[in-house]
Amino acid sequence: MYEGVIQDLIDELGKLPGIGPKSAQRIAFYIVQSDRIDINHLVEILQTIKEKVRFCKECGNISEDELCRICRDPRRDQSLICVVEESKDVVAIEKTHEFRGKYHVLGGAISPIDGIGPENLRIKELVTRLGNSEIAEVIIATDPNLEGEATATYLARLIKPLGVATSRLASGLPVGGDLEYADEVTLGRAFEGRRKLD
């Protein structure tokens, strides 16, 4: 434990996702040793982000404008919506260059343990989009964990009566992985998602 403002900085950095106590300490000491110009620039960027960055009014992705660049792009397939948990998932999918539709960012996943229910996510907005548009298919791309699966199941049941086709991203064995190290759920999904070889 350190004294005063150093410990306060370590504590605040430790609240960031993926930053443990040791990482928080390393970052804090990096900041202390950095030039004042670099730190002032970092502070300016943090303030600018809070002032300029918002959530797209259509899909919920992060944006500096009312609509994000994907929602503004007329070349995107208007009939496909890929539902993801967070904005970072949009970036991951876009890197594949495989999806040319639009997105819907939920803002998390259903997690009763954490007190997150469907009412805490952007599910009402999704249903509104499905009712007001020509959506042919919703691709559910939530994380392949308990919370993501619960969210996917909830969404599939909710969307089914609307008459919109619903699919789920395939999941299974990673390339370069060994069968003996795969857990039962992953291996089971690999069998479910198997495809014929020509």
Side-chain angles (χ1 to χ4, degrees):
M1 297 291 280
Y2 296 91
E3 293 181 10
V5 72
I6 297 283
Q7 188 60 48
D8 293 342
L9 178 59
I10 292 170
D11 293 343
E12 289 303 312
L13 291 169
K15 292 177 184 176
L16 297 171
I19 304 292
K22 290 201 182 272
S23 294
Q25 183 178 321
R26 277 193 294 276
I27 295 168
F29 281 106
Y30 173 81
I31 289 171
V32 167
Q33 295 169 353
S34 293
D35 291 336
R36 182 176 295 274
I37 293 169
D38 294 337
I39 298 307
N40 287 340
H41 184 64
L42 176 62
V43 169
E44 286 174 25
I45 289 172
L46 291 172
Q47 288 173 335
T48 302
I49 282 176
K50 291 311 289 180
E51 291 167 7
K52 288 188 174 183
V53 175
R54 64 188 80 166
F55 295 100
C56 174
K57 75 173 190 174
E58 185 172 324
C59 74
N61 194 10
I62 55 172
S63 177
E64 288 188 34
D65 298 310
E66 202 169 299
L67 292 175
C68 70
R69 83 178 157 74
I70 294 171
C71 286
R72 289 190 317 261
D73 188 346
R75 297 169 297 174
R76 303 297 290 220
D77 186 343
Q78 308 292 318
S79 68
L80 292 174
I81 288 185
C82 182
V83 178
V84 297
E85 292 180 23
E86 305 287 347
S87 293
K88 60 183 170 48
D89 301 325
V90 172
V91 173
I93 293 170
E94 284 295 291
K95 284 181 182 177
T96 69
H97 302 288
E98 293 293 325
F99 180 71
R100 294 298 305 154
K102 293 199 170 187
Y103 293 92
H104 188 84
V105 181
L106 295 172
I110 295 171
S111 177
I113 291 172
D114 297 320
I116 301 171
E119 68 281 356
N120 302 113
L121 304 175
R122 297 186 69 253
I123 293 175
K124 283 187 285 187
E125 292 86 345
L126 175 62
V127 172
T128 301
R129 284 180 78 184
L130 296 178
N132 297 339
S133 62
E134 299 296 321
I135 305 299
E137 181 183 1
V138 173
I139 302 165
I140 301 173
T142 53
D143 290 341
N145 55 28
L146 286 174
E147 294 83 6
E149 292 298 326
T151 305
T153 301
Y154 180 86
L155 290 174
R157 287 183 184 153
L158 188 68
I159 295 168
K160 187 175 184 177
L162 301 175
V164 177
T166 308
S167 60
R168 176 95 167 104
L169 283 187
S171 59
L173 298 170
V175 174
D178 293 328
L179 288 180
E180 67 181 300
Y181 299 117
D183 62 90
E184 294 84 9
V185 174
T186 302
L187 202 49
R189 284 287 165 80
F191 272 99
E192 287 174 20
R194 70 188 184 278
R195 62 176 197 253
K196 278 191 170 181
L197 297 175
D198 295 327

